[in-house]
Amino acid sequence: MMTRRDAAIALDIPVEMAKRHNLPARMSEADLTALVAEPPAWLVQSRANRQGKRPVWVHLTCAVCGYSEAARPKKWWPEFDFVHCDDHSPHQLPPVDAGRVRCEYEDIGTRMIGVVDEQVRDG
């Protein structure tokens, strides 16, 4: 059995939409497979409305330990070079290349920090 959140991730829809369309709190893999095989009109319309836009879910994987989680991306998120769990120390992270500066974005997912290594600007 999978949770409604797991089903929403698999269907690439928000959890709120899954609730609105009465997906059960727990569903079997067979029920999910049937839903994917013959999607209801609301799911077909949802997919048609999103073409070319940001994904509903992204999968974040820690560059240090490999811990992974799914999260809803925020509009303010830049394109991260990598993410890591918030309990790793700086010496565990990949080194910053010469001529770049590290920018960190906290509160990515439930326990991740997003990292962008930006080019240092002259001037």
Side-chain angles (χ1 to χ4, degrees):
M1 295 296 275
M2 63 174 38
T3 65
R4 183 184 291 135
R5 182 178 190 275
D6 292 335
I9 292 168
L11 295 170
D12 200 28
I13 61 172
V15 174
E16 299 80 16
M17 182 178 286
K19 285 181 187 177
R20 187 176 334 119
H21 292 286
N22 300 317
L23 289 185
R26 295 221 175 256
M27 66 189 308
S28 69
E29 293 281 339
D31 289 339
L32 178 67
T33 301
L35 194 60
V36 169
E38 294 186 38
W42 62 265
L43 183 54
V44 172
Q45 185 65 48
S46 171
R47 290 177 175 165
N49 290 345
R50 297 191 291 110
Q51 291 180 353
K53 296 182 181 173
R54 293 192 120 188
V56 176
W57 295 93
V58 294
H59 295 278
L60 306 170
T61 302
C62 177
V64 178
C65 69
Y67 169 81
S68 185
E69 67 180 45
R72 295 284 309 275
K74 308 299 183 241
K75 291 180 181 179
W76 56 267
W77 286 7
E79 187 70 31
F80 298 119
D81 292 317
F82 64 90
V83 295
H84 65 89
C85 299
D86 59 10
D87 58 346
H88 295 298
S89 64
H91 78 274
Q92 294 176 289
L93 305 178
V96 181
D97 292 335
R100 300 184 82 75
V101 63
R102 179 153 290 165
C103 300
E104 294 187 341
Y105 297 82
E106 295 182 352
D107 300 324
I108 305 301
T110 59
R111 54 179 272 202
M112 299 285 211
I113 296 174
V115 175
V116 177
D117 289 343
E118 294 181 351
Q119 187 69 39
V120 174
R121 297 178 208 190
D122 294 331

